[in-house]
Amino acid sequence: MKKYLVILAAISMAACSVSANADPVTTKGGYEYDKNMLSNPAALNWNIEHCSHSGITPEVQEKLSKLMNVTPANVRFEYCRRILTAYAKGAIPYDDYVQFTRSRVLTASIARALRISGSRLVESHRQHHKSSGF
């Protein structure tokens, strides 16, 4: 369980205020180790559960609710579930992880993990027009 806390702390830092000049939350080796630990469903579920109890401002919660298309009450859980699952699957490369934790830069992999990419909306809109004859 102690290692789970390390993973939780690393990911939770991504959602918290981190100085742009701070060192990466983890080394590349640590990132890979944590990613492998999260491949264990028990570790993943434990981290999602504990991450979802992290604090979030009402303003951020409201914005994420709209961007992620979830109710405000589900924002923390869904944020944690989506980010940690993507991390475990290797869908968030180390460099993107570092950029996000250091500068809160929303890279394409983070946007995909959170399912807030605008291109998906455009694509579904195009499909609707193709099927309706427009």
Side-chain angles (χ1 to χ4, degrees), residues 71-130:
T71 64
N74 290 329
V75 165
R76 286 184 289 187
F77 178 82
E78 276 302 306
Y79 173 87
C80 294
R81 186 183 68 77
R82 292 176 187 186
I83 288 289
L84 288 168
T85 300
Y87 183 18
K89 291 180 176 181
I92 300 173
Y94 175 72
D95 291 337
D96 289 0
Y97 170 80
V98 170
Q99 221 176 349
F100 185 63
T101 56
R102 279 185 147 182
S103 310
R104 292 193 217 127
V105 172
L106 188 64
T107 63
S109 66
I110 300 289
R112 279 191 303 274
L114 294 174
R115 298 185 199 129
I116 60 174
S117 174
S119 63
R120 186 171 56 115
L121 297 173
V122 172
E123 186 64 16
S124 70
H125 183 68
R126 286 185 193 146
Q127 291 295 331
H128 173 71
H129 283 292
K130 284 181 184 178

Side-chain angles (χ1 to χ4, degrees), residues 37-62:
M37 287 291 295
L38 288 172
S39 68
N40 174 332
L44 179 61
N45 289 333
W46 189 93
N47 277 277
I48 291 169
E49 179 62 30
H50 283 80
C51 170
S52 69
H53 296 291
S54 299
I56 186 171
T57 66
E59 296 81 25
V60 171
Q61 187 169 353
E62 187 64 34

